[in-house]
């Protein structure tokens, strides 16, 4: 509930997006690609550049990354090569952002509910174990069995980018599933780096690191100037990890797990809005600073840091890492050696086959046993394509090469294996997704209700088992939805309890800034008053600020303490997100979108038209 109330014109459900026919500019096309896709493309370009550089001039490639840098004061100094600076320092920032995402998912994201998290967690664990077993089976006797950590992890950046480039037509559910899986996958990979690939361990510096981490945790209680404190403590913790022998990138993860994450609460948002109004009335520097600070503080520092660092990680750090680590020499002799190397084949089979078997096999088994849920639209063929994408183990695989293998020739063979596996996994996933889309013709896409009505899960007005059903995907700031709901109530006046009316959320967040917050508020009002709350929101679409939402809850006699607690809960956010993913799966781009007895309604939605549509759907007259 952090947005100001700004209501714009709704999209007419019979017209769709108004500007769809305009030719976008180059800048607009790049922006529309999204950060994940651009980041993946930059990572690919950097990888190709590293390979070309190493094959054109291996000497200059090696000399450049071995360039030594020194920094210090007096007798205290640090000395790094450029390669170590990227792998030990910059990658700590990457692992920090990974840790932030892990912390968020377990606090307020997909992994808060065990039933929701069961399938991706099980798939991630199987996707760690199966590749490692296959690798050891193939590479045994080569002297490199200890390098099994190379095949355990999926590259999240490439996974998201590949999904955006080659994924199915409606990738929403699959994207959520794979991101939840990737979080658990990252936890496993980081744990293995810490436990298996730490060679020289000195415990004393870790006591300093522990004190620094306690300081990081306590910093949340400072009222101001927390940024410099976090930075200072982070440097101390990183240096302590470096001195201990534990890979210093893990300091980033340890710090991230202690950074607080929460959903905005009403009091913080109200204070921010009040200060913004004060600044508008008296635009002084003091009020501007106070308003800006209040707005910033209403969002958890975890989410602020993710937003701040994500572009640097995607556009700078990961491409630099690829440039520094993907420089493999691809001469005929090297390729011939890699083709006959059990190390190379262990990596290829471990990543491509192991991930496919582990992720897909465990998901299919749990589906067969009716354990956990995949969500509407996430079929096993889509999971099969996602499992293939998981075979792209680029970043952490290359990262572990230097930790697990000492021999330079073996390192080169391992990098060939990682690159080959990533290409094969990408091509395999493309084929699976294209076949999956081909067997799902466009002509019926979105015409059938993706998720059947569940009287326990859904908000149902009328007899939960009535013979006639209207499901509305709507938005509480949409004027058309107000009209449609009025028409549906007229139909209920005619049919009574022979009709059940179901509301599901499809907030147009790009047009109605308060629509998402209003949807979550209606879910928090599920104390037996959902439809009363929903009607109040529809009737007063210009006043849906936090104070207005609380006023509506109070007027309806809701338990305000419980309401405010539910308002910031992960469960409420998850229910709204589920409906939005259903809407995406059915290509719903404008509201209201109605489904009559499970089929999409096309045409007017006045009461007479709806009664006629119900008659057509049932085959018998339904009006009295």
């Amino acid at each position: 509930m952090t947005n100001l109330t700004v209501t714009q014109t709704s999209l007419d459900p019979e017209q769709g997006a108004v500007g769809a026919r305009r030719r976008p500019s180059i800048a607009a096309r790049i922006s529309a690609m999204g950060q994940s896709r651009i980041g993946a493309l930059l990572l690919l370009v950097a990888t190709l550049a590293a390979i070309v550089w190493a094959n054109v001039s291996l000497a200059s490639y090696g000399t450049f990354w071995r360039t030594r840098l020194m920094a210090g004061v007096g007798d205290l100094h640090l000395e790094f090569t450029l390669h170590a600076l990227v792998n030990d320092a910059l990658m700590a920032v990457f692992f920090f952002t990974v840790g932030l995402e892990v912390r968020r998912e377990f606090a307020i994201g997909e992994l808060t509910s065990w039933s929701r998290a069961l399938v991706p967690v099980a798939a991630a664990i199987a996707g760690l174990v199966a590749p490692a077993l296959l690798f050891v089976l193939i590479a045994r006797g080569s002297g490199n069995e200890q390098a099994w950590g190379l095949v355990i992890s999926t590259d999240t950046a490439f996974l998201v980018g590949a999904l955006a480039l080659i994924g199915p037509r409606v990738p929403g559910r699959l994207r959520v599933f794979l991101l939840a899986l990737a979080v658990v996958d990252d936890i496993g990979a980081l744990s293995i780096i810490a436990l298996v690939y730490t060679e020289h361990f000195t415990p004393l510096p870790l006591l300093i690191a522990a004190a620094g981490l306690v300081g990081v945790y306590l910093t949340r209680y400072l009222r101001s100037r927390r940024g410099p404190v976090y930075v200072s403590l982070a440097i101390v913790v990183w240096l302590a990890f470096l001195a201990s022998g534990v890979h210093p990138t893990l300091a980033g993860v340890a710090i991230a797990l202690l950074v607080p994450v929460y959903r905005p609460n009403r009091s913080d948002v109200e204070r921010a809005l009040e200060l913004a109004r004060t600044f508008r009335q008296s635009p002084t520097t003091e009020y501007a600073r106070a308003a800006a600070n209040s707005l910033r503080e209403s969002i958890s520092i975890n989410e602020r840091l993710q937003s701040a660092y994500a572009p640097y990680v995607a556009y700078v750090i990961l491409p630099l890492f690829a440039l520094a680590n993907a420089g493999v020499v691809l001469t005929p002799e090297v390729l011939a050696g890699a083709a006959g190397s059990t190390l190379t084949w262990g990596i290829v089979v471990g990543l491509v086959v192991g991930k496919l078997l582990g992720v897909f096999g465990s998901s299919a088994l749990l589906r067969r046993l009716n354990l956990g849920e995949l969500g509407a639209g996430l079929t096993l063929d889509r999971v099969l394509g996602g499992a293939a994408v998981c075979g792209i183990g680029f970043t952490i695989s290359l990262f572990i090469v230097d930790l697990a293998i000492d021999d330079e020739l073996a390192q080169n063979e391992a990098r060939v294996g990682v690159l080959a596996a990533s290409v094969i996994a990408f091509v395999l996933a493309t084929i699976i997704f294209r076949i999956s889309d081909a067997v799902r013709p466009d002509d019926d896409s979105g015409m059938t209700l993706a998720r059947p009505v569940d009287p326990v899960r859904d908000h149902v007005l009328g007899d939960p088992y009535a013979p006639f059903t209207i499901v509305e995907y709507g938005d509480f700031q949409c004027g058309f939805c107000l009209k449609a709901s009025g028409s549906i109530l007229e139909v209920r006046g005619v049919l009574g309890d022979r009709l059940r009316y179901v509301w599901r959320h499809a907030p147009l967040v790009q047009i109605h800034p308060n629509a998402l917050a209003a949807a979550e508020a209606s879910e928090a009002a599920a104390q037996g008053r959902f439809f009363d709350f929903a009607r109040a929101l529809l009737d007063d679409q210009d006043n849906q600020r936090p104070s207005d939402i609380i006023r509506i809850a109070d007027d309806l006699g809701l338990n305000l303490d419980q309401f405010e607690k539910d308002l910031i809960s992960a469960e409420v956010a998850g229910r709204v997100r589920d409906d939005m993913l259903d809407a995406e799966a059915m290509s719903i781009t404008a509201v209201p979108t109605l489904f009559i007895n499970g089929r999409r309604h096309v045409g007017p939605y006045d009461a007479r038209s709806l009664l006629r549509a119900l008659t057509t759907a049932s085959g018998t007259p339904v009006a009295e």
Side-chain angles (χ1 to χ4, degrees), residues 89-159:
L90 293 184
M91 286 299 285
V93 179
F94 164 72
F95 283 113
F96 175 72
T97 60
V98 170
L100 290 174
E101 182 64 23
V102 169
R103 176 81 174 88
R104 184 188 184 281
E105 286 300 312
F106 276 98
I108 61 174
E110 277 295 300
L111 301 178
T112 54
S113 167
W114 176 244
S115 62
R116 181 184 301 277
L118 178 60
V119 180
V121 168
I125 294 172
L128 292 169
V129 174
L133 292 177
L134 285 176
F135 175 87
V136 172
L137 183 65
I138 294 172
R140 62 182 177 179
S142 67
N144 291 303
E145 297 89 341
Q146 80 285 351
W148 55 269
L150 287 168
V151 299
I152 59 173
S153 184
T154 295
D155 189 297
T156 305
F158 262 134
L159 180 148

Coordinates of all heavy atoms in Angstrom, one line a residue, residues 89-159:
A89 N 35.9 -10.1 -4.8 CA 35.3 -8.8 -4.3 C 34.0 -8.5 -5.0 O 32.9 -8.4 -4.4 CB 36.3 -7.6 -4.5
L90 N 34.0 -8.4 -6.3 CA 32.8 -8.1 -7.1 C 31.8 -9.2 -6.9 O 30.6 -8.9 -6.8 CB 33.1 -7.8 -8.5 CG 33.9 -6.5 -8.8 CD1 34.0 -6.3 -10.4 CD2 33.3 -5.3 -8.2
M91 N 32.2 -10.4 -7.0 CA 31.3 -11.5 -6.9 C 30.6 -11.6 -5.5 O 29.6 -12.2 -5.3 CB 31.9 -12.9 -7.2 CG 32.1 -13.0 -8.7 SD 30.6 -13.0 -9.7 CE 30.0 -14.6 -9.4
A92 N 31.3 -11.0 -4.5 CA 30.7 -10.9 -3.2 C 29.4 -10.1 -3.2 O 28.4 -10.4 -2.5 CB 31.6 -10.3 -2.1
V93 N 29.4 -9.1 -4.1 CA 28.2 -8.3 -4.3 C 27.1 -9.1 -5.0 O 25.9 -9.1 -4.6 CB 28.5 -7.0 -5.1 CG1 27.2 -6.2 -5.3 CG2 29.5 -6.2 -4.5
F94 N 27.5 -9.9 -5.9 CA 26.5 -10.8 -6.6 C 25.9 -11.8 -5.6 O 24.7 -12.0 -5.5 CB 27.2 -11.6 -7.7 CG 26.5 -12.8 -8.2 CD1 25.3 -12.7 -8.9 CD2 26.9 -14.1 -7.8 CE1 24.6 -13.8 -9.3 CE2 26.2 -15.2 -8.2 CZ 25.0 -15.1 -9.0
F95 N 26.8 -12.4 -4.8 CA 26.2 -13.4 -3.7 C 25.4 -12.6 -2.7 O 24.5 -13.2 -2.1 CB 27.4 -14.1 -3.1 CG 27.9 -15.2 -4.0 CD1 29.2 -15.2 -4.5 CD2 27.1 -16.3 -4.3 CE1 29.7 -16.2 -5.3 CE2 27.6 -17.4 -5.1 CZ 28.9 -17.3 -5.6
F96 N 25.7 -11.4 -2.5 CA 24.9 -10.6 -1.5 C 23.5 -10.4 -2.1 O 22.5 -10.6 -1.3 CB 25.6 -9.2 -1.4 CG 24.8 -8.2 -0.6 CD1 24.6 -8.4 0.8 CD2 24.1 -7.1 -1.2 CE1 23.9 -7.5 1.6 CE2 23.4 -6.2 -0.4 CZ 23.3 -6.4 1.0
T97 N 23.4 -10.1 -3.4 CA 22.0 -10.0 -4.0 C 21.3 -11.3 -4.0 O 20.1 -11.4 -3.8 CB 22.1 -9.4 -5.4 OG1 22.8 -10.3 -6.2 CG2 22.7 -8.1 -5.4
V98 N 22.0 -12.4 -4.1 CA 21.4 -13.8 -4.0 C 20.9 -14.0 -2.6 O 19.8 -14.5 -2.4 CB 22.5 -14.9 -4.4 CG1 21.9 -16.3 -4.1 CG2 22.8 -14.8 -5.9
G99 N 21.7 -13.6 -1.6 CA 21.3 -13.8 -0.2 C 20.0 -12.9 0.1 O 19.2 -13.4 0.8
L100 N 20.0 -11.7 -0.5 CA 18.8 -10.9 -0.3 C 17.5 -11.6 -0.8 O 16.5 -11.5 -0.2 CB 19.0 -9.5 -1.0 CG 20.0 -8.6 -0.4 CD1 20.2 -7.3 -1.3 CD2 19.6 -8.1 1.0
E101 N 17.7 -12.2 -2.0 CA 16.5 -12.8 -2.6 C 16.1 -14.1 -1.8 O 14.9 -14.3 -1.6 CB 16.9 -13.3 -4.1 CG 15.7 -13.9 -4.8 CD 14.5 -13.0 -5.0 OE1 14.7 -11.8 -5.0 OE2 13.4 -13.5 -5.2
V102 N 17.1 -14.8 -1.3 CA 16.8 -16.0 -0.4 C 16.0 -15.5 0.8 O 15.0 -16.1 1.2 CB 18.1 -16.7 0.0 CG1 17.8 -17.7 1.1 CG2 18.7 -17.4 -1.2
R103 N 16.5 -14.5 1.4 CA 15.9 -13.9 2.7 C 14.5 -13.5 2.4 O 13.5 -13.8 3.2 CB 16.7 -12.7 3.2 CG 16.1 -12.0 4.4 CD 16.4 -12.8 5.7 NE 16.0 -12.0 6.8 CZ 14.8 -12.1 7.4 NH1 13.9 -12.9 6.8 NH2 14.5 -11.3 8.4
R104 N 14.3 -12.8 1.3 CA 12.9 -12.3 0.9 C 12.0 -13.4 0.6 O 10.8 -13.4 1.1 CB 13.0 -11.4 -0.3 CG 11.7 -10.8 -0.6 CD 11.7 -10.0 -1.9 NE 10.4 -9.3 -2.2 CZ 9.3 -10.0 -2.6 NH1 9.4 -11.3 -2.9 NH2 8.2 -9.3 -2.8
E105 N 12.4 -14.4 -0.1 CA 11.5 -15.5 -0.5 C 11.0 -16.3 0.8 O 9.9 -16.7 0.8 CB 12.2 -16.5 -1.5 CG 12.3 -15.9 -2.9 CD 11.0 -15.6 -3.5 OE1 10.1 -16.4 -3.4 OE2 10.8 -14.5 -4.0
F106 N 11.9 -16.5 1.7 CA 11.5 -17.2 2.9 C 10.7 -16.4 3.9 O 10.0 -16.9 4.7 CB 12.8 -17.8 3.6 CG 13.2 -19.1 3.1 CD1 14.3 -19.1 2.2 CD2 12.6 -20.3 3.4 CE1 14.7 -20.3 1.7 CE2 13.0 -21.5 2.9 CZ 14.1 -21.5 2.0
A107 N 10.8 -15.0 3.8 CA 10.1 -14.1 4.7 C 8.7 -13.8 4.2 O 7.7 -13.9 4.9 CB 10.9 -12.9 5.0
I108 N 8.6 -13.3 2.9 CA 7.4 -12.9 2.4 C 7.1 -13.4 1.0 O 6.2 -12.9 0.3 CB 7.3 -11.3 2.4 CG1 8.4 -10.7 1.5 CG2 7.4 -10.8 3.8 CD1 8.3 -9.2 1.4
G109 N 7.9 -14.3 0.5 CA 7.7 -14.7 -0.9 C 7.1 -16.1 -1.1 O 6.3 -16.6 -0.3
E110 N 7.5 -16.8 -2.2 CA 7.0 -18.1 -2.5 C 7.2 -19.2 -1.5 O 6.5 -20.2 -1.5 CB 7.5 -18.5 -3.9 CG 6.8 -17.9 -5.1 CD 5.4 -18.4 -5.2 OE1 5.1 -19.6 -5.3 OE2 4.5 -17.5 -5.1
L111 N 8.3 -19.1 -0.7 CA 8.7 -20.1 0.2 C 8.2 -20.0 1.6 O 8.7 -20.6 2.5 CB 10.2 -20.2 0.2 CG 10.9 -20.5 -1.2 CD1 12.4 -20.6 -1.1 CD2 10.3 -21.8 -1.8
T112 N 7.2 -19.1 1.8 CA 6.6 -18.9 3.1 C 5.6 -20.0 3.4 O 5.4 -20.4 4.6 CB 5.9 -17.6 3.2 OG1 5.0 -17.5 2.2 CG2 6.9 -16.4 3.1
S113 N 5.0 -20.6 2.4 CA 4.0 -21.6 2.6 C 4.6 -22.9 2.2 O 5.0 -23.1 1.1 CB 2.7 -21.3 1.8 OG 1.9 -22.5 1.7
W114 N 4.6 -23.9 3.1 CA 5.2 -25.2 2.9 C 4.5 -25.9 1.7 O 5.1 -26.5 0.9 CB 5.2 -26.1 4.1 CG 5.8 -27.4 3.9 CD1 5.1 -28.6 4.0 CD2 7.1 -27.7 3.5 NE1 6.0 -29.7 3.6 CE2 7.2 -29.2 3.3 CE3 8.2 -27.0 3.2 CZ2 8.4 -29.8 2.9 CZ3 9.4 -27.6 2.8 CH2 9.4 -29.0 2.7
S115 N 3.2 -25.9 1.7 CA 2.5 -26.6 0.6 C 2.8 -26.0 -0.8 O 2.9 -26.7 -1.8 CB 0.9 -26.5 0.8 OG 0.5 -25.1 0.8
R116 N 3.0 -24.6 -0.8 CA 3.3 -24.0 -2.0 C 4.8 -24.2 -2.4 O 5.1 -24.3 -3.6 CB 3.1 -22.5 -1.9 CG 3.4 -21.6 -3.1 CD 3.3 -20.2 -2.8 NE 1.9 -19.9 -2.4 CZ 0.9 -19.7 -3.2 NH1 1.1 -19.7 -4.5 NH2 -0.3 -19.4 -2.7
A117 N 5.6 -24.4 -1.4 CA 7.1 -24.5 -1.6 C 7.5 -25.9 -1.8 O 8.6 -26.2 -2.3 CB 7.9 -23.9 -0.5
L118 N 6.7 -26.9 -1.5 CA 7.1 -28.3 -1.5 C 7.7 -28.8 -2.8 O 8.8 -29.3 -2.9 CB 5.9 -29.2 -1.1 CG 6.2 -30.7 -1.1 CD1 7.3 -31.0 -0.1 CD2 4.9 -31.5 -0.8
V119 N 7.0 -28.5 -3.9 CA 7.4 -29.0 -5.2 C 8.8 -28.3 -5.7 O 9.7 -29.0 -6.0 CB 6.4 -28.8 -6.3 CG1 6.9 -29.4 -7.7 CG2 5.1 -29.6 -5.9
P120 N 8.9 -27.0 -5.7 CA 10.2 -26.4 -6.1 C 11.3 -26.8 -5.1 O 12.4 -26.9 -5.6 CB 9.9 -24.9 -6.1 CG 8.6 -24.7 -5.3 CD 7.8 -25.9 -5.5
V121 N 11.0 -26.9 -3.8 CA 12.1 -27.3 -2.9 C 12.6 -28.7 -3.2 O 13.8 -29.0 -3.3 CB 11.6 -27.1 -1.4 CG1 12.6 -27.8 -0.5 CG2 11.4 -25.7 -1.0
A122 N 11.6 -29.6 -3.3 CA 12.0 -31.0 -3.7 C 12.7 -31.1 -5.0 O 13.7 -31.8 -5.1 CB 10.8 -31.9 -3.7
A123 N 12.3 -30.3 -6.0 CA 12.9 -30.3 -7.3 C 14.3 -29.8 -7.2 O 15.2 -30.3 -7.9 CB 12.1 -29.5 -8.3
A124 N 14.5 -28.7 -6.4 CA 15.8 -28.1 -6.3 C 16.8 -29.1 -5.6 O 18.0 -29.3 -6.0 CB 15.8 -26.9 -5.4
I125 N 16.3 -29.8 -4.6 CA 17.2 -30.8 -3.9 C 17.6 -31.9 -4.8 O 18.7 -32.3 -4.9 CB 16.5 -31.3 -2.6 CG1 16.3 -30.2 -1.6 CG2 17.3 -32.4 -2.0 CD1 15.5 -30.5 -0.4
A126 N 16.6 -32.5 -5.5 CA 16.8 -33.5 -6.5 C 17.8 -33.0 -7.6 O 18.6 -33.8 -8.1 CB 15.5 -34.1 -7.1
G127 N 17.6 -31.7 -8.0 CA 18.5 -31.1 -9.0 C 19.9 -30.9 -8.5 O 20.7 -30.5 -9.3
L128 N 20.1 -31.0 -7.2 CA 21.5 -30.9 -6.7 C 22.1 -32.3 -6.6 O 23.3 -32.4 -6.9 CB 21.5 -30.2 -5.3 CG 21.1 -28.8 -5.2 CD1 20.9 -28.4 -3.7 CD2 22.2 -27.9 -5.7
V129 N 21.3 -33.2 -6.2 CA 21.9 -34.6 -5.9 C 22.1 -35.4 -7.2 O 23.2 -35.9 -7.4 CB 20.9 -35.4 -5.0 CG1 21.4 -36.8 -4.8 CG2 20.8 -34.7 -3.6
A130 N 21.1 -35.4 -8.1 CA 21.2 -36.2 -9.3 C 22.4 -35.8 -10.2 O 23.2 -36.7 -10.6 CB 19.9 -36.1 -10.1
P131 N 22.7 -34.5 -10.4 CA 23.9 -34.2 -11.2 C 25.2 -34.6 -10.6 O 26.1 -35.0 -11.3 CB 23.8 -32.6 -11.4 CG 22.3 -32.3 -11.2 CD 21.8 -33.3 -10.2
A132 N 25.3 -34.4 -9.3 CA 26.5 -34.8 -8.6 C 26.8 -36.3 -8.7 O 27.9 -36.7 -8.9 CB 26.4 -34.3 -7.1
L133 N 25.7 -37.1 -8.5 CA 25.9 -38.5 -8.6 C 26.3 -38.9 -10.0 O 27.2 -39.8 -10.2 CB 24.6 -39.2 -8.2 CG 24.1 -39.1 -6.8 CD1 22.8 -39.8 -6.6 CD2 25.2 -39.8 -5.9
L134 N 25.7 -38.4 -11.0 CA 26.1 -38.7 -12.4 C 27.5 -38.3 -12.7 O 28.2 -39.0 -13.4 CB 25.1 -38.0 -13.4 CG 23.7 -38.6 -13.5 CD1 22.8 -37.8 -14.5 CD2 23.8 -40.1 -14.1
F135 N 27.9 -37.1 -12.2 CA 29.3 -36.6 -12.4 C 30.3 -37.6 -11.8 O 31.2 -38.0 -12.5 CB 29.4 -35.2 -11.8 CG 30.9 -34.7 -11.9 CD1 31.3 -34.1 -13.0 CD2 31.8 -34.9 -10.9 CE1 32.6 -33.6 -13.2 CE2 33.1 -34.5 -11.0 CZ 33.5 -33.8 -12.1
V136 N 30.1 -37.9 -10.6 CA 31.0 -38.8 -9.9 C 31.1 -40.2 -10.6 O 32.1 -40.8 -10.8 CB 30.6 -39.0 -8.4 CG1 31.5 -40.1 -7.7 CG2 30.8 -37.7 -7.7
L137 N 29.9 -40.7 -11.1 CA 29.8 -41.9 -11.8 C 30.7 -41.9 -13.1 O 31.4 -42.9 -13.4 CB 28.4 -42.3 -12.1 CG 28.1 -43.6 -12.8 CD1 28.5 -44.8 -11.8 CD2 26.7 -43.7 -13.2
I138 N 30.6 -40.8 -13.8 CA 31.3 -40.7 -15.1 C 32.8 -40.3 -14.9 O 33.6 -40.8 -15.6 CB 30.6 -39.7 -16.0 CG1 29.2 -40.2 -16.4 CG2 31.4 -39.4 -17.2 CD1 28.4 -39.2 -17.1
A139 N 33.1 -39.4 -13.9 CA 34.4 -38.9 -13.8 C 35.3 -39.7 -12.8 O 36.5 -39.4 -12.6 CB 34.4 -37.5 -13.3
R140 N 34.8 -40.8 -12.3 CA 35.6 -41.6 -11.3 C 36.8 -42.2 -12.1 O 36.8 -42.6 -13.2 CB 34.8 -42.7 -10.7 CG 34.3 -43.7 -11.7 CD 33.4 -44.8 -11.0 NE 32.9 -45.8 -12.0 CZ 32.1 -46.8 -11.6 NH1 31.8 -46.9 -10.4 NH2 31.7 -47.6 -12.6
G141 N 37.9 -42.1 -11.3 CA 39.2 -42.6 -11.9 C 40.0 -41.5 -12.6 O 41.1 -41.7 -13.0
S142 N 39.4 -40.3 -12.8 CA 40.1 -39.2 -13.5 C 40.9 -38.4 -12.6 O 41.7 -37.6 -13.1 CB 39.0 -38.3 -14.2 OG 38.3 -37.6 -13.3
G143 N 40.7 -38.6 -11.3 CA 41.4 -37.7 -10.4 C 40.7 -36.4 -10.1 O 41.2 -35.6 -9.3
N144 N 39.6 -36.2 -10.7 CA 38.8 -34.9 -10.5 C 37.4 -35.2 -9.9 O 36.6 -34.3 -10.1 CB 38.7 -34.2 -11.9 CG 40.0 -33.7 -12.4 OD1 40.7 -32.9 -11.7 ND2 40.4 -34.1 -13.6
E145 N 37.3 -36.3 -9.3 CA 36.0 -36.6 -8.7 C 35.5 -35.5 -7.7 O 34.3 -35.3 -7.5 CB 36.0 -37.9 -8.0 CG 36.2 -39.1 -8.9 CD 37.7 -39.4 -9.0 OE1 38.5 -38.5 -8.7 OE2 38.0 -40.5 -9.4
Q146 N 36.5 -34.8 -7.1 CA 36.2 -33.8 -6.1 C 35.5 -32.6 -6.7 O 35.0 -31.7 -6.0 CB 37.4 -33.4 -5.3 CG 38.3 -32.4 -6.1 CD 39.1 -33.0 -7.2 OE1 39.2 -34.3 -7.3 NE2 39.8 -32.2 -8.0
A147 N 35.5 -32.5 -8.0 CA 35.0 -31.3 -8.7 C 33.5 -31.5 -9.0 O 32.9 -30.8 -9.8 CB 35.7 -31.1 -10.0
W148 N 32.8 -32.4 -8.2 CA 31.4 -32.6 -8.5 C 30.5 -31.3 -8.2 O 29.4 -31.2 -8.7 CB 30.9 -33.7 -7.6 CG 31.1 -33.6 -6.1 CD1 32.2 -34.0 -5.4 CD2 30.3 -32.9 -5.1 NE1 32.2 -33.7 -4.1 CE2 31.0 -33.0 -3.9 CE3 29.1 -32.3 -5.2 CZ2 30.4 -32.5 -2.7 CZ3 28.5 -31.8 -4.0 CH2 29.2 -31.8 -2.8
G149 N 31.1 -30.4 -7.5 CA 30.4 -29.1 -7.2 C 30.1 -28.3 -8.4 O 29.3 -27.4 -8.5
L150 N 30.9 -28.6 -9.5 CA 30.7 -27.9 -10.8 C 29.3 -28.1 -11.4 O 28.8 -27.2 -12.1 CB 31.7 -28.4 -11.8 CG 33.2 -27.9 -11.6 CD1 34.1 -28.7 -12.5 CD2 33.3 -26.5 -11.9
V151 N 28.6 -29.2 -11.1 CA 27.4 -29.5 -11.8 C 26.1 -29.3 -10.9 O 25.0 -29.6 -11.3 CB 27.4 -30.9 -12.3 CG1 28.5 -31.1 -13.3 CG2 27.5 -31.9 -11.1
I152 N 26.3 -28.7 -9.7 CA 25.1 -28.7 -8.8 C 24.2 -27.5 -9.0 O 23.1 -27.5 -8.7 CB 25.6 -28.7 -7.3 CG1 26.5 -27.5 -7.1 CG2 26.3 -30.0 -7.0 CD1 26.9 -27.4 -5.6
S153 N 24.8 -26.4 -9.5 CA 24.0 -25.2 -9.5 C 23.5 -24.7 -10.8 O 24.2 -24.8 -11.8 CB 24.8 -24.0 -8.8 OG 24.1 -22.9 -8.7
T154 N 22.3 -24.1 -10.8 CA 21.7 -23.5 -12.0 C 22.1 -22.0 -12.0 O 22.1 -21.4 -11.0 CB 20.2 -23.6 -12.0 OG1 19.9 -25.0 -12.1 CG2 19.6 -22.9 -13.1
D155 N 22.4 -21.5 -13.2 CA 22.7 -20.0 -13.3 C 21.4 -19.3 -13.3 O 20.7 -19.3 -14.3 CB 23.5 -19.8 -14.5 CG 24.0 -18.3 -14.6 OD1 23.2 -17.4 -14.6 OD2 25.3 -18.1 -14.5
T156 N 21.1 -18.6 -12.3 CA 19.8 -17.9 -12.2 C 19.6 -16.8 -13.2 O 18.6 -16.6 -13.8 CB 19.6 -17.3 -10.8 OG1 19.7 -18.3 -9.8 CG2 18.2 -16.6 -10.6
A157 N 20.7 -16.0 -13.5 CA 20.7 -15.0 -14.5 C 20.3 -15.5 -15.9 O 19.5 -15.0 -16.6 CB 22.0 -14.2 -14.5
F158 N 21.1 -16.6 -16.3 CA 20.8 -17.2 -17.6 C 19.4 -17.9 -17.6 O 18.8 -17.9 -18.6 CB 21.9 -18.2 -17.9 CG 23.0 -17.6 -18.8 CD1 24.3 -17.9 -18.5 CD2 22.6 -16.9 -19.9 CE1 25.3 -17.4 -19.4 CE2 23.6 -16.4 -20.8 CZ 25.0 -16.6 -20.5
L159 N 19.0 -18.4 -16.5 CA 17.7 -19.1 -16.4 C 16.6 -18.1 -16.7 O 15.7 -18.4 -17.5 CB 17.5 -19.7 -15.0 CG 16.2 -20.5 -14.8 CD1 16.5 -21.7 -13.8 CD2 15.2 -19.6 -14.2

